[in-house]
Amino acid sequence: MKPSDRKLPALERVDDFRWRIAKTGSMRTEGLIFASAAQVRELESDEALRQVANVACLPGIVGPSIAMPDIHWGYGFPIGGVAAFDPESGVVSPGGVGYDINCGVRLLTTPLAVADARPRLRELVDELFRSVPSGVGSSRADVKLDDPQLDRVLSGGAARAVELGFGRDADLEAIEAGGRLEGAEPARVSKRARDRGRAQLGTLGSGNHFVEVGWVDETYDAEAASALGVGVGTVTVLIHTGSRGLGHQVCDDHLDAMLAAAKRYGIELPDPQLCCAPLTSPEAHAYWGAMNAAANFAFANRQLITHFVRRALDRVFGAAVAGDVDIVYDVAHNIAKLEEHEIDGKLRRVCVHRKGATRALPPGHAELAPRFRELGQPVLVPGDMGRSSFVLLGLDRAASETFASCCHGAGRRLSRHAAKREARPRNLVRELEAQGILIRAASRATVDEEMPEAYKDVAGVVDVVAGAGLARKLARLRPLAVVKG
Amino acid sequence: MHRLLAHTADVRAEIAAPDFGSLCREAVALVRELLVGTSPVVSKEIRVVPLEGEDEAERFFRFVRELVYLADADGFLPADCASRNGAVEVSGESFDPSRHGSERQLKAVTRHQYLYRRAQDGLRAELIFDL
């Protein structure tokens, strides 16, 4: 019997925004899914629900196997999944992080107003397309690292990029974990991973990665939005990418070791892509050191892209504009981290896997830089290239219910194959341009596969996390120009 | 024969061929199409991929994984292949943006719902690629 022939788990409604998968069979805990009734109807035939149940079978899971409203079918873990594990009895799973380790989103603000940007938008998007390599074979000839230099990036993350002249110290305050994760061990990153990533620092990749110029068209708390620089009319730049080939290879390298480890430690796997090892094991330590190094590479990658975005703005609008480009925030949405959370009234250290999910710290959290402490952590939720994206702020409910996690995007509703078929007779670039959105892409295939209709409406996803009290809406962004791989 | 199947986020593909060597050739054609579409790729150089793994299914999986690696690490586009002495010789050339279209980068081939089986008419495999 093919895995997909097995019956999908049933959902029980908890309230308007929460659904439960009861603990059955080898599940060690229940599943908790954040979704509206309409989203659940779309989900009921989706493999993602089985993946929520599969994650609940892993040893040492603490609390429920959680899914956000942008949940969709991944491999191993669902995309939009969150799961925490006890550091003594639990596991770490590369499938719970994903191939693109520390894939994430960064939001920049510019001093430009929409009216200033529009007349030179074509020039800007062309400059961005030239400045940030994307698509098949994307690499940089101007940033190539030898092994000692690469080691310093793997240890130092965005901070090392700033030391090398790609940005400024103030940038680091607005990055999750300051743009550098502890526990990175460059020696754990294989030669194959280094060879894949060496020339890819400062590149975008392809698929759903992008650099998007947008503007704030609505705010939901004008004072807080203004404090974070996202007042109505502000022109923004959203960057979505990760650790490139280096991270993909780290995942691949360790999956084989984890498959063997799962057998060795007697862990039953409902899906081989969920392979994992006890957090106390040598296999887990090896992955942990390499994963954190790859995460730092991703932070450095987004830092370099920020530098090249500033340079593009300088070329088109001048140094004064480029010098006034700030980071609102930078969040990872594919990561595993050791974090402290209050569980049953006690502070506990747990290993939180977020695969297609964003950290969402509430106001007052000690880990937030002073400028965010009163407001809570900005949560960046990109939508599709035709509609909107959102900036949210983390709330206490996320801390108590989801290990301080929130959604990460719109979530796909069409397969790439189906999207391409639907897009084939159309000219999406022209259609979007008619709506005032310029597209520059390395390939037509990516534009077609990433068509707006391929995604759920992100507004519906955000309404669920807001309704459930995980985060509150701060600002809505509309796209003006998008660079795709 | 190879064809794409529905998958919400990534690319799921089915490959079928009468024997292992032909299955590898179909995998080469699939990976090439995913990377550069219908752009012609010429056999200019050879990369030797050792066949490793405890059984045929694992050896095939690792072969496809190596095609993804060669494309990303070296920009190597596969054109054709031939099995010899426990290895597959893959012929192809480097990605050249002036001659090759850019369809999509491949992050990895995953083990999620990986299927490899003998059918009446030969071998069939199903793979999901992460993009």
Side-chain angles (χ1 to χ4, degrees):
Chain A
M1 186 168 67
K2 285 165 66 172
S4 53
D5 294 335
R6 292 186 348 241
K7 201 175 158 220
L8 289 168
L11 285 176
E12 297 165 16
R13 183 177 178 278
V14 177
D15 62 25
D16 285 352
F17 306 108
R18 290 169 182 79
W19 304 74
R20 180 174 167 267
I21 298 175
K23 184 177 149 189
T24 54
S26 52
M27 288 170 70
R28 295 166 195 257
T29 185
E30 64 180 24
L32 173 63
I33 290 146
F34 290 86
S36 65
Q39 288 162 347
V40 160
R41 278 194 292 279
E42 285 197 353
L43 258 180
E44 273 175 333
S45 56
D46 196 294
E47 285 289 311
L49 290 184
R50 190 195 321 282
Q51 294 183 318
V52 174
N54 286 347
V55 171
C57 300
L58 294 177
I61 188 165
V62 176
S65 167
I66 299 165
M68 292 296 156
D70 48 337
I71 179 178
H72 54 278
W73 184 8
Y75 37 85
F77 275 55
I79 296 162
V82 178
F85 295 88
D86 181 82
E88 298 302 319
S89 61
V91 294
V92 63
S93 170
V97 173
Y99 281 96
D100 198 356
I101 295 165
N102 189 6
C103 185
V105 184
R106 176 178 288 206
L107 178 65
L108 312 177
T109 54
T110 75
L112 296 167
V114 190
D116 305 326
R118 272 210 193 274
R120 303 188 72 182
L121 206 53
R122 195 172 298 278
E123 209 181 325
L124 177 61
V125 73
D126 285 344
E127 189 60 45
L128 288 169
F129 188 69
R130 275 192 295 272
S131 304
V132 185
S134 59
V136 175
S138 51
S139 59
R140 298 202 79 95
D142 54 347
V143 183
K144 266 203 174 129
L145 306 172
D146 61 22
D147 268 327
Q149 288 168 328
L150 185 54
D151 280 354
R152 287 194 282 276
V153 168
L154 296 173
S155 302
R160 180 61 189 158
V162 169
E163 280 169 27
L164 291 168
F166 299 105
R168 44 197 193 225
D169 289 340
D171 291 346
L172 304 176
E173 276 181 26
I175 307 176
E176 179 172 343
R180 177 184 179 272
L181 294 185
E182 299 288 339
E185 293 183 65
R188 305 279 198 184
V189 176
S190 69
K191 180 180 179 303
R192 284 165 73 83
R194 288 162 184 269
D195 288 346
R196 277 181 82 165
R198 199 181 301 281
Q200 293 183 347
L201 198 62
T203 67
L204 195 60
S206 69
N208 60 0
H209 292 169
F210 61 78
V211 175
E212 177 181 299
V213 181
W215 64 288
V216 179
D217 90 318
E218 188 172 6
T219 60
Y220 305 90
D221 174 345
E223 199 180 327
S226 171
L228 291 177
V230 287
V232 170
T234 305
V235 170
T236 57
V237 181
L238 203 54
I239 300 165
H240 177 212
T241 188
S243 50
R244 309 288 287 107
L246 184 138
H248 314 157
Q249 190 61 38
V250 164
C251 181
D252 243 347
D253 288 343
H254 290 268
L255 280 170
D256 284 353
M258 291 285 185
L259 267 174
K263 261 187 209 160
R264 187 172 317 123
Y265 299 109
I267 300 169
E268 278 186 35
L269 298 174
D271 175 349
Q273 199 72 32
L274 274 178
C275 61
C276 54
L279 275 156
T280 52
S281 69
E283 294 87 349
H285 292 159
Y287 174 66
W288 196 257
M291 178 202 66
N292 283 305
N296 288 339
F297 186 88
F299 281 133
N301 189 33
R302 293 196 287 275
Q303 186 64 37
L304 261 77
I305 291 176
T306 300
H307 168 82
F308 291 109
V309 167
R310 283 177 171 142
R311 199 168 74 178
L313 285 161
D314 184 345
R315 285 178 178 163
V316 177
F317 293 101
V321 168
D324 203 6
V325 171
D326 294 319
I327 302 177
V328 176
Y329 211 69
D330 177 313
V331 282
H333 55 224
N334 278 6
I335 199 72
K337 289 167 82 181
L338 281 168
E339 297 175 345
E340 274 196 343
H341 290 277
E342 194 177 310
I343 298 160
D344 299 330
K346 284 184 191 159
L347 265 188
R348 262 178 85 175
R349 202 163 166 75
V350 285
C351 176
V352 182
H353 291 61
R354 296 189 182 96
K355 183 175 177 189
T358 304
R359 191 188 69 170
L361 296 178
H365 197 283
E367 206 180 307
L368 289 171
R371 69 168 122 153
F372 304 114
R373 206 158 290 160
E374 206 177 310
L375 295 171
Q377 181 208 301
V379 176
L380 309 176
V381 188
D384 57 75
M385 58 187 171
R387 284 175 283 192
S388 53
S389 297
F390 284 85
V391 183
L392 316 179
L393 291 170
L395 291 174
D396 287 330
R397 196 81 191 252
S400 61
E401 220 178 338
T402 62
F403 304 99
S405 307
C406 194
C407 59
H408 88 306
R412 284 192 77 94
R413 52 175 285 276
L414 287 184
S415 72
R416 290 177 181 276
H417 192 46
K420 219 172 163 183
R421 199 172 45 229
E422 205 166 297
R424 197 170 295 137
R426 296 165 55 183
N427 185 330
L428 284 170
V429 171
R430 205 172 294 159
E431 284 180 26
L432 288 164
E433 194 166 334
Q435 296 168 37
I437 302 163
L438 301 181
I439 306 292
R440 287 289 270 122
S443 98
R444 172 170 177 166
T446 302
V447 176
D448 288 355
E449 290 173 3
E450 293 287 307
M451 68 192 297
E453 298 91 326
Y455 286 88
K456 300 173 197 170
D457 184 355
V458 73
V461 171
V462 162
D463 283 345
V464 169
V465 293
L470 304 181
R472 67 184 175 104
K473 289 197 264 190
L474 180 70
R476 185 175 65 186
L477 315 176
R478 297 282 191 193
L480 290 168
V482 187
V483 172
K484 295 285 296 179
Chain B
M1 182 285 288
H2 61 268
R3 64 185 179 122
L4 300 184
L5 307 170
H7 184 279
T8 321
D10 297 303
V11 164
R12 183 179 200 178
E14 181 186 28
I15 309 173
D19 54 60
F20 187 81
S22 309
L23 199 71
C24 291
R25 292 186 77 186
E26 286 294 338
V28 159
L30 170 68
V31 168
R32 184 180 64 241
E33 277 176 34
L34 291 174
L35 291 165
V36 297
T38 53
S39 299
V41 175
V42 181
S43 294
K44 285 186 178 170
E45 50 184 298
I46 300 272
R47 303 295 171 97
V48 178
V49 179
L51 285 172
E52 293 169 341
E54 61 194 13
D55 55 28
E56 205 171 76
E58 182 64 17
R59 287 192 282 279
F60 180 70
F61 179 83
R62 292 192 191 189
F63 170 70
V64 179
R65 189 166 68 177
E66 194 62 17
L67 294 177
V68 172
Y69 172 79
L70 288 171
D72 198 41
D74 296 348
F76 179 78
L77 302 176
D80 202 353
C81 72
S83 306
R84 276 190 194 94
N85 305 325
V88 183
E89 291 180 359
V90 185
S91 60
E93 62 175 322
S94 294
F95 176 73
D96 175 353
S98 68
R99 290 189 296 112
H100 299 125
S102 166
E103 288 279 307
R104 56 183 82 67
Q105 282 195 309
L106 303 176
K107 290 179 186 166
V109 56
T110 80
R111 292 184 186 273
H112 176 59
Q113 295 194 354
Y114 171 50
L115 290 176
Y116 185 95
R117 63 177 187 270
R118 291 199 171 273
Q120 269 188 339
D121 50 351
L123 296 168
R124 269 174 201 275
E126 272 184 43
L127 294 157
I128 294 175
F129 292 85
D130 186 20
L131 301 184

